[in-house]
Amino acid sequence: MTLDSRIRSATSADIPEILRVIRDLATYEKAPEQAVATDTDLQAVLFPDHGHPSTFCHIGEIDGKVAGIALWFLSFSTWTGKQGIWLEDLFVDPQQRGTGLGKALLASLAQVCVERGLTRLEWCVLNWNTPSIEFYDALGALPQDDWTTYRLDGDALAKVGGARA
């Protein structure tokens, strides 16, 4: 796989910078208090002591410094019988936007899909995030308006998870 020279796979040493970017993203998305992930949490999913990682991260660098991330995991389509990539977070530092780094990060994930025969690259974007929506539209990505994302978390998750029939 030939990647943009600014894109590389994350290493364990990148975890503090990945956390910084995650917190910057949470602030941008107006929910900084929800970014509670720790170094230990990321170490466990990205670089586990045993077994295979469940989550992956591509790092975007400019002038040797982390300027963006694409944090992702494998998904599965029962209809195609193939895996895909779910892009959990894509974020480029505001001062580095317009450099092509975001497009390079997405292109690196598209390359993974093509090379591995994965059928989809999917993600969510907040409805108010017009700059990102315009960026995705310009790439040819299509919104999936027929679906609504649901989430169980917090007390609701505990209630449903603790319920016994």
Side-chain angles (χ1 to χ4, degrees), residues 40-57:
T40 303
D41 295 330
L42 291 184
Q43 182 72 37
V45 296
L46 292 168
F47 309 103
D49 290 334
H50 305 288
H52 300 286
S54 61
T55 307
F56 308 89
C57 185

Side-chain angles (χ1 to χ4, degrees), residues 49-73:
D49 290 334
H50 305 288
H52 300 286
S54 61
T55 307
F56 308 89
C57 185
H58 286 190
I59 298 289
E61 293 183 322
I62 294 181
D63 297 327
K65 295 182 181 172
V66 175
I69 64 168
L71 196 71
W72 58 279
F73 55 89

Side-chain angles (χ1 to χ4, degrees), residues 31 34 36 88 149-161:
Q34 293 180 33
V36 297
E88 182 64 21
T149 302
Y150 278 83
R151 175 182 296 156
L152 273 175
D153 65 3
D155 291 341
L157 179 63
K159 182 177 178 182
V160 172

Side-chain angles (χ1 to χ4, degrees), residues 15-88:
I15 288 177
E17 280 297 295
I18 295 168
L19 277 173
R20 175 193 61 81
V21 174
I22 288 169
R23 290 186 178 112
D24 289 349
L25 170 62
T27 298
Y28 176 78
E29 291 185 349
K30 303 173 184 159
E33 70 285 349
Q34 293 180 33
V36 297
T38 66
D39 291 37
T40 303
D41 295 330
L42 291 184
Q43 182 72 37
V45 296
L46 292 168
F47 309 103
D49 290 334
H50 305 288
H52 300 286
S54 61
T55 307
F56 308 89
C57 185
H58 286 190
I59 298 289
E61 293 183 322
I62 294 181
D63 297 327
K65 295 182 181 172
V66 175
I69 64 168
L71 196 71
W72 58 279
F73 55 89
L74 293 173
S75 60
F76 181 76
S77 168
T78 56
W79 290 16
T80 66
K82 306 271 186 196
Q83 290 182 307
I85 286 179
W86 182 266
L87 174 59
E88 182 64 21

